[in-house]
């Protein structure tokens, strides 16, 4: 269910082809995403999902078409400014090893010249938000944290300047199954409390259907279906989506057969 009528992100006839490639990485994508939605983008490797995400914060520019964020065409905005307005979390986390956890989270606020008290308060607030005790973790270094804890810090850093849009590129892909489930639950909790617009890339159908208020399914650069998890399961739009749903059902049968 879409609660807001405000369009947060709009893709208009977006294309991207990389040099030397024989096909478009993204081909004629037209989508409207509303403020406060949790959108998951599902597809196999090479489907275009990460390319679409990276065009949203101008890590890549489209070859054709427009991307509009809250009514503003990002072509008309300096790329660095676009990125500073958007939270971005990736699988590799990318924490700087020589900096403490507090310093890692404070990177963008410092670039924006926030005063020290404001930064310190925000860092503590964010650590609490992602379920880490600030007194315990402020002065630690990344190598002293588990993978799941590092991923939480990555989320905190992405949220540092209170962005309206969060982009998450397979952030839990390298996390073990138990911690991955915990982090999924935490992210759902965070989203429901923050009311931000989330775009979350995954190749895991269970993760996509669990987290997404709506799901974009991509294959070979094209959007096959964009709908709620329930509608996708009940009415797959094409053979590719149907195969994805069938693979999910086969996994469920495997578990049933082992019980």
């Amino acid at each position: 269910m879409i609660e807001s009528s405000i369009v947060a992100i709009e893709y208009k006839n977006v294309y991207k082809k990389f040099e030397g490639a024989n096909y478009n990485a993204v081909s004629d994508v037209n989508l409207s995403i509303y403020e406060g939605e949790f959108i998951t983008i599902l597809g196999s490797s090479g489907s275009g999902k990460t390319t679409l995400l990276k065009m949203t914060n101008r890590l890549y520019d489209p070859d054709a078409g427009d991307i509009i964020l809250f009514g503003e065409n990002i072509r008309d905005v300096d790329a660095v400014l676009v990125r500073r307005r958007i939270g971005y979390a990736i699988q590799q986390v990318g924490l700087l090893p020589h900096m403490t956890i507090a310093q890692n989270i404070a990177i963008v606020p410092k670039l924006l010249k926030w005063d020290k008290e404001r930064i310190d308060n925000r860092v503590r607030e964010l650590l609490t938000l992602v379920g880490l005790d600030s007194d315990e973790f402020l002065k630690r270094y990344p190598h002293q944290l588990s993978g799941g804890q590092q991923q939480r810090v990555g989320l905190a850093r992405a949220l540092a300047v209170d962005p309206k849009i969060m982009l998450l590129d397979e952030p839990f892909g390298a996390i073990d199954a138990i911690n991955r489930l915990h982090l999924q639950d935490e992210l759902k909790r965070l989203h429901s409390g923050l009311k931000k617009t989330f775009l979350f890339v995954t190749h895991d159908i269970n993760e996509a259907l669990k987290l997404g208020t709506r799901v974009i399914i991509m294959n070979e650069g094209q959007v096959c279906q964009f709908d709620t998890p329930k509608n996708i399961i009940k009415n797959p739009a094409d053979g590719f989506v149907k195969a994805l749903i069938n693979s999910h059902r086969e996994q469920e049968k495997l578990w049933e057969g082992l019980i």
Side-chain angles (χ1 to χ4, degrees):
M1 182 174 145
I2 299 168
E3 296 180 359
S4 174
S5 60
I6 298 169
V7 178
I9 308 168
E10 190 173 5
Y11 303 93
K12 294 183 175 180
N13 307 111
V14 173
Y15 287 83
K16 180 67 181 178
K17 186 175 182 180
F18 292 106
E19 189 175 346
N22 296 320
Y23 58 89
N24 291 323
V26 168
S27 188
D28 198 22
V29 168
N30 290 276
L31 299 168
S32 291
I33 293 165
Y34 294 91
E35 185 177 32
E37 286 198 275
F38 195 136
I39 302 297
T40 51
I41 309 174
L42 175 65
S44 53
S45 297
S47 62
K49 57 190 188 299
T50 290
T51 301
L52 186 66
L53 198 78
K54 287 184 173 181
M55 286 192 288
T56 310
N57 66 353
R58 291 200 62 187
L59 286 173
Y60 299 148
D61 284 324
D63 298 327
D66 296 294
I67 300 172
I68 316 293
L69 304 185
F70 289 100
E72 185 174 47
N73 193 322
I74 61 173
R75 285 187 186 276
D76 302 329
V77 184
D78 180 78
V80 173
L81 189 58
V82 171
R83 287 174 208 140
R84 287 182 183 173
R85 291 176 181 172
I86 296 173
Y88 185 50
I90 58 175
Q91 183 180 127
Q92 295 83 6
V93 187
L95 299 179
L96 298 173
H98 62 286
M99 287 186 173
T100 65
I101 298 312
Q103 290 168 337
N104 267 282
I105 296 171
I107 288 172
V108 176
K110 281 186 175 178
L111 288 171
L112 297 177
K113 303 190 186 307
W114 288 17
D115 65 63
K116 185 179 183 305
E117 184 180 2
R118 185 183 178 192
I119 290 174
D120 290 347
N121 289 339
R122 183 62 174 158
V123 168
R124 285 183 174 276
E125 177 189 3
L126 286 165
L127 284 171
T128 301
L129 190 69
V130 299
L132 296 174
D133 181 85
S134 57
D135 290 332
E136 183 181 349
F137 287 93
L138 276 174
K139 295 181 180 179
R140 286 196 188 182
Y141 287 86
H143 74 272
Q144 297 172 313
L145 274 59
S146 69
Q149 289 169 340
Q150 288 186 30
Q151 201 55 257
R152 287 171 187 264
V153 174
L155 287 172
R157 184 177 60 182
L159 288 162
V161 294
D162 200 23
K164 291 182 178 180
I165 296 169
M166 282 281 290
L167 307 180
L168 303 109
D169 192 359
E170 300 205 47
F172 307 147
I175 305 295
D176 65 87
I178 293 172
N179 277 308
R180 186 168 181 155
L181 288 172
H182 289 323
L183 285 166
Q184 288 169 359
D185 292 338
E186 283 291 303
L187 195 62
K188 282 193 80 168
R189 178 188 63 80
L190 274 176
H191 177 262
S192 64
L194 295 169
K195 299 298 182 187
K196 297 182 184 298
T197 307
F198 280 22
L199 263 70
F200 184 106
V201 163
T202 181
H203 64 268
D204 184 327
I205 185 170
N206 295 311
E207 189 164 69
L209 297 175
K210 175 181 177 178
L211 294 177
T213 51
R214 290 196 291 167
V215 181
I216 299 167
I217 298 180
M218 296 188 71
N219 185 38
E220 297 181 344
Q222 296 185 317
V223 174
C224 303
Q225 192 164 357
F226 182 29
D227 211 332
T228 63
K230 181 181 281 189
N231 287 341
I232 287 170
I233 291 168
K234 288 174 70 175
N235 302 297
D238 64 12
F240 178 76
V241 178
K242 193 175 288 186
L244 276 177
I245 301 303
N246 287 340
S247 73
H248 179 55
R249 288 186 169 138
E250 286 299 318
Q251 288 178 346
E252 288 179 340
K253 285 180 186 174
L254 172 65
W255 281 102
E256 289 168 7
L258 292 172
I259 295 171

